[in-house]
Amino acid sequence: MSDLSKDIRYIKGIGEKKALALNKLGVFSLRDLVSFFPRKYEDRSTVKPIALTLDGESVCIEAMVADTPRLTRIRRGLDIVKFRAVDDSGAVDITYFNQPYTKDNLQRGETYVFFGRIEFKAGRRALTNPLYEKAEAQGAVTGRIVPVYRSSAGLSQKLLQQAVRQGLDECLEQMPDVLPRSVRESCQLAQTAYAYENIHFPADFDALALARRRIVFEELFVLACALGRMRGERINESGIRMQDHGIDEFWRSLPFAPTGAQRRAVQQAMEDMGSGFVMNRLVQGDVGSGKTLVAAALIWCCARNGYMSAFMAPTEILAEQHFATLSQMLGTFGIRIGKLTGAMSVKEKRVVKEALKAGEYDLIIGTHALFSNDVEYSNLALVVTDEQHRFGVGQRSALIGKGQKPHVLVMSATPIPRTLALIIYGDLDVSIIDELPPGRQKVDTFTVDESYRARLNGFIRKLVSEGRQVFVVCPKVEENEDDTVKLKSAQEHAAELAATFPDMKVECIHGKMAAKNKDAIMASVVAGETNILVATTVIEVGVDVPNAALIIIENAERFGLSQLHQLRGRVGRGQHKSYCILVSDHDGEESRARLSIMCKTNDGFKISEEDLRLRGPGDFFGSRQHGLPEMHMADLGADVQLLQRAQDEAAKLLLKDPGLNLPEHKELKSAVERLITENTDSFN
Ligand code: ADP
Ligand code: MG
């Protein structure tokens, strides 16, 4: 059997030089080579009558050379061969640059198949440098679907195609099947050899679809098995055992009763932490569902057990806010709370770090600064990361690595469609908070255009006179940022509002400000002194001001749906009826459709599903922000059905054979292990 890990330079016909060029494309082994899937395909399988070809279309025509090809030497280094070719429907002018031999290869009166890009020039059709072959000998360059690969300098498509062909010839016959036969059969998937042959050199489009389905499934299935196995392994990792000191004492100290969903999440997490194994739990809940309280309860529990917790927030503003909230909730129990953020002075940080090392805190709250190299913890037993989607899995694990296998709680409002949450958080247990605190009202949402400005200002005045506060979000910070469309800038808009409402306190906050100034402004907002806060999306995540009852989003068409939903979550957090006004003069159909979804529903999951549908998966998964390995073929956003199927099959299989030790799972096991080793970074 040929060894798929074999270096490509030893493959017949490849050799040193081509191997080096292929290495640049990330292709090192025979396996890499046959898994170097085409970026797209060129359809050279169907021949079109000339008269039906379109301007700019890449197409095959079957045509007779109508006059004797003429060779003209324009100057040294520039030869041109020109002639006209015809079929029953029409004619085309064909030109070859610097291919003088075409003059003799192409015979007047003979019929050839040409493949190239049609251009309309002065009312006539033209082809430049088309590929060609004799009509009766068709099949080498035309008459089929041709793969197009991602390429780099020094490698033509032709060379790449040849290299892949050689690779396939070397291993196709004995290609091991990663998928267990039962799975392949029950999911009606093509065989390996068929799939690899047809993904590169499809016989036709049906074959291509079958091949693609099989390869995508395989990829997702291996991923699902890898995640499932990691979870299995971690379940068995021993962790610090927490005693249950009666969480009711904590609940009773609150000014409100926890919701059923909050109690449930805390209960599940306490069971994890009391089990003797490490906890890896995701708490997922829509904005405003009260995730912070869940964390607070667990921190309380750890402190009662004499252990320390760390709470990591993605922004300074949020860290400050959590510091304030948690100090209020936990301070009364004598829990000692520290704060560590990048904005603090070196000296301040040093003091906190020393206290940390000496075990003087029960809880430390901070930003990324929490996992810098020089931070040492004593007795760290619980790591909470808020708004988990803002961190890479790597960052999360840097903090986890600080303690002795601490319990991990991640909290996220990222409205990921349910189907995808499964695979993205496949290595975590999930608690879903599906209940909002009582008395919450739906945030009424409207879309308006500029003509409503005066009425909008009247509405601001009315709410502020009732004692409420108002958020205004702008898509950019200052005026000079270059743009083709006129967008509201936070600074300018704040100045306008200050002029419109001279009796009100209008503040502006954005990411470019010094942390100190941001803190001061947020403090005045929380204290209720600021009436109108104009901001950029810095307030998107987590900011909690229950007295805010109106959020106005300028140039709303500039924001993604999920982002709008997050922003809207800044209001409607107290007992006051709240509103979200989306201001947009944009009348594109798509942006209208998006904004109308916002007006129709307050359900973050529904919104994210729509968002995914409208935007496509690119934005969702573009930045690898979920810490998943890159897929070669599968599109985690688009291949959702296959993903679910793969996930189900993987779960079934792991139940039967958790260690993948059965002989029929040998190939699968090595594929899973390969995926894990190749992606240690993203898997942590
Ligand atoms: P998120 O899930 O978006 O992080 P927060 O934890 O910030 O939500 O909570 C939102 C608001 O709801 C806060 O003002 C918090 O004090 C309040 N809250 C949380 N739980 C309850 C509850 N059970 N009853 C009433 N208010 C609650
Ligand atoms: Mg929050």
Side-chain angles (χ1 to χ4, degrees):
M1 195 196 260
S2 64
D3 177 9
L4 287 174
S5 58
K6 172 166 153 179
D7 193 312
I8 47 168
R9 67 170 48 87
Y10 304 121
I11 295 173
K12 209 171 101 225
I14 290 197
E16 201 70 28
K17 204 165 141 231
K18 264 190 241 170
L20 280 175
L22 281 163
N23 289 168
K24 287 209 187 99
L25 294 167
V27 176
F28 296 91
S29 64
L30 179 53
R31 176 180 292 107
D32 295 338
L33 181 61
V34 295
S35 308
F36 187 67
F37 300 127
R39 189 165 57 81
K40 57 174 191 177
Y41 301 86
E42 246 171 34
D43 181 11
R44 301 187 200 162
S45 62
T46 33
V47 172
K48 252 191 166 183
I50 294 175
L52 296 184
T53 59
L54 307 170
D55 192 12
E57 183 181 21
S58 291
V59 68
C60 282
I61 56 164
E62 184 169 341
M64 187 185 76
V65 176
D67 48 17
T68 309
R70 302 171 304 278
L71 171 66
T72 325
R73 169 152 294 183
I74 305 282
R75 55 177 157 77
R76 235 164 83 126
L78 183 57
D79 293 325
I80 292 186
V81 174
K82 265 183 176 301
F83 59 91
R84 206 165 158 71
V86 296
D87 68 6
D88 291 344
S89 72
V92 59
D93 295 322
I94 297 184
T95 310
Y96 286 97
F97 288 99
N98 289 338
Q99 297 182 30
Y101 46 86
T102 51
K103 174 182 175 301
D104 302 317
N105 286 356
L106 291 156
Q107 306 281 322
R108 176 177 177 179
E110 291 279 352
T111 298
Y112 301 85
V113 177
F114 295 93
F115 175 80
R117 193 164 162 275
I118 296 280
E119 285 173 293
F120 285 11
K121 286 183 178 164
R124 288 159 68 118
R125 286 180 166 80
L127 274 175
T128 307
N129 294 346
L131 301 167
Y132 62 90
E133 62 191 348
K134 275 257 178 65
E136 61 270 21
Q138 222 203 86
V141 291
T142 69
R144 55 193 188 91
I145 302 166
V146 177
V148 180
Y149 296 96
R150 187 163 52 79
S151 182
S152 74
L155 272 180
S156 67
Q157 286 297 326
K158 196 167 153 194
L159 270 173
L160 279 169
Q161 286 167 21
Q162 278 168 358
V164 171
R165 181 73 266 163
Q166 274 144 352
L168 288 173
D169 290 346
E170 181 107 4
C171 65
L172 210 49
E173 289 308 312
Q174 325 99 324
M175 193 106 158
D177 198 341
V178 166
L179 294 179
R181 184 161 168 182
S182 57
V183 172
R184 200 187 69 225
E185 285 175 359
S186 75
C187 299
Q188 298 181 309
L189 300 163
Q191 309 236 18
T192 332
Y194 180 90
Y196 277 81
E197 174 68 31
N198 282 284
I199 200 77
H200 290 289
F201 304 109
D204 52 46
F205 282 101
D206 289 341
L208 176 58
L210 285 174
R212 187 179 182 281
R213 184 167 182 274
R214 144 86 206 207
I215 285 169
V216 167
F217 184 93
E218 179 177 320
E219 213 171 14
L220 296 173
F221 183 73
V222 171
L223 175 67
C225 286
L227 292 169
R229 258 194 80 184
M230 286 167 61
R231 163 144 86 169
E233 278 161 14
R234 270 201 252 174
I235 283 172
N236 298 325
E237 213 164 33
S238 56
I240 303 160
R241 194 189 287 271
M242 296 288 166
Q243 305 293 332
D244 184 348
H245 287 275
I247 195 72
D248 278 343
E249 186 188 346
F250 174 69
W251 292 142
R252 275 197 304 272
S253 74
L254 298 171
F256 44 69
T259 64
Q262 284 169 324
R263 276 181 192 277
R264 211 159 37 240
V266 169
Q267 203 52 45
Q268 287 166 339
M270 300 250 298
E271 275 164 29
D272 292 352
M273 294 202 299
S275 70
F277 299 112
V278 291
M279 169 172 79
N280 279 290
R281 183 165 290 277
L282 165 72
V283 172
Q284 192 171 26
D286 208 348
V287 286
S289 61
K291 295 182 290 291
T292 319
L293 186 61
V294 172
L298 300 179
I299 292 164
W300 182 89
C301 168
C302 286
R304 267 293 142 99
N305 277 271
Y307 287 102
M308 188 191 164
S309 306
F311 190 123
M312 185 159 73
T315 64
E316 304 272 339
I317 292 180
L318 206 50
E320 287 296 340
Q321 189 185 295
H322 283 316
F323 182 72
T325 323
L326 293 170
S327 297
Q328 210 177 22
M329 281 189 200
L330 299 168
T332 47
F333 292 100
I335 292 175
R336 300 160 301 169
I337 307 180
K339 183 176 71 181
L340 186 65
T341 70
M344 286 161 58
S345 74
V346 177
K347 208 166 134 207
E348 286 169 322
K349 279 192 254 190
R350 189 173 341 113
V351 174
V352 175
K353 283 177 206 165
E354 271 158 23
L356 263 177
K357 201 169 155 188
E360 286 168 20
Y361 294 124
D362 305 302
L363 168 63
I364 181 81
I365 299 171
T367 54
H368 306 72
L370 288 182
F371 55 79
S372 6
N373 281 333
D374 58 348
V375 181
E376 285 175 57
Y377 293 87
S378 118
N379 241 359
L380 180 63
L382 171 65
V383 169
V384 180
T385 51
D386 192 19
E387 303 297 345
Q388 127 86 8
H389 64 293
R390 290 294 183 104
F391 296 102
V393 181
Q395 288 177 316
R396 193 176 92 207
S397 61
L399 184 50
I400 296 167
K402 293 277 185 194
Q404 288 235 336
K405 296 195 186 146
H407 297 293
V408 173
L409 185 78
V410 302
M411 307 199 292
S412 182
T414 321
I416 298 163
R418 287 176 214 282
T419 42
L420 294 181
L422 247 168
I423 197 148
I424 287 166
Y425 296 119
D427 63 334
L428 298 171
D429 295 304
V430 183
S431 298
I432 291 186
I433 306 199
D434 50 5
E435 182 185 352
L436 293 181
R440 278 297 158 73
Q441 300 164 22
K442 174 173 157 288
V443 177
D444 284 346
T445 306
F446 307 96
T447 307
V448 303
D449 61 24
E450 204 51 47
S451 68
Y452 281 73
R453 185 63 68 188
R455 268 178 277 179
L456 196 52
N457 286 340
F459 193 46
I460 295 178
R461 175 159 293 289
K462 172 172 176 289
L463 287 177
V464 171
S465 70
E466 289 168 5
R468 302 289 80 74
Q469 287 163 285
V470 176
F471 290 142
V472 181
V473 180
C474 295
K476 60 183 189 129
V477 179
E478 37 188 359
E479 210 36 50
N480 57 14
E481 288 170 50
D482 69 319
D483 48 17
T484 40
V485 221
K486 180 91 178 118
L487 294 181
K488 286 273 180 198
S489 84
Q491 286 172 346
E492 200 195 34
H493 195 55
E496 266 171 39
L497 285 169
T500 313
F501 303 108
D503 52 328
M504 294 182 196
K505 186 163 155 91
V506 180
E507 294 278 12
C508 178
I509 194 169
H510 54 77
K512 290 184 180 173
M513 282 163 72
K516 257 216 195 78
N517 300 341
K518 276 194 267 188
D519 292 349
I521 290 176
M522 279 319 289
S524 108
V525 173
V526 170
E529 289 157 13
T530 296
N531 304 110
I532 304 177
L533 179 68
V534 183
T536 55
T537 51
V538 287
I539 66 156
E540 175 190 341
V541 172
V543 168
D544 185 29
V545 182
N547 191 43
L550 168 62
I551 185 164
I552 297 169
I553 302 170
E554 301 285 345
N555 297 108
E557 76 282 353
R558 306 293 294 205
F559 299 92
L561 268 184
S562 298
Q563 207 176 11
L564 288 174
H565 180 63
Q566 286 276 345
L567 286 168
R568 177 168 61 183
R570 299 310 112 221
V571 299
R573 300 187 143 238
Q575 70 273 39
H576 312 291
K577 173 81 203 138
S578 299
Y579 306 88
C580 170
I581 312 259
L582 307 170
V583 185
S584 174
D585 265 346
H586 200 78
D587 54 2
E589 196 167 318
E590 199 208 302
S591 55
R592 263 213 314 268
R594 291 194 314 144
L595 298 184
S596 84
I597 291 165
M598 284 294 294
C599 301
K600 278 201 293 257
T601 178
N602 272 258
D603 180 337
F605 284 110
K606 259 194 210 132
I607 289 174
S608 66
E609 264 157 15
E610 286 294 320
D611 201 15
L612 189 64
R613 197 175 59 75
L614 289 172
R615 269 198 309 178
D619 283 355
F620 240 91
F621 295 101
S623 53
R624 301 186 65 187
Q625 56 178 330
H626 299 294
L628 286 177
E630 218 139 14
M631 298 282 97
H632 292 283
M633 199 68 185
D635 177 339
L636 291 175
D639 295 317
V640 172
Q641 270 172 354
L642 221 46
L643 175 66
Q644 195 146 38
R645 189 78 203 258
Q647 181 86 16
D648 292 348
E649 291 292 334
K652 257 195 270 172
L653 188 122
L654 286 173
L655 208 59
K656 217 170 59 185
D657 181 15
L660 298 176
N661 292 322
L662 293 175
E664 63 264 38
H665 299 152
K666 180 168 156 277
E667 291 300 336
L668 176 61
K669 184 173 184 169
S670 35
V672 165
E673 280 167 0
R674 235 178 2 254
L675 184 73
I676 294 176
T677 16
E678 279 167 14
N679 292 283
T680 38
D681 284 357
S682 42
F683 281 143
N684 73 51

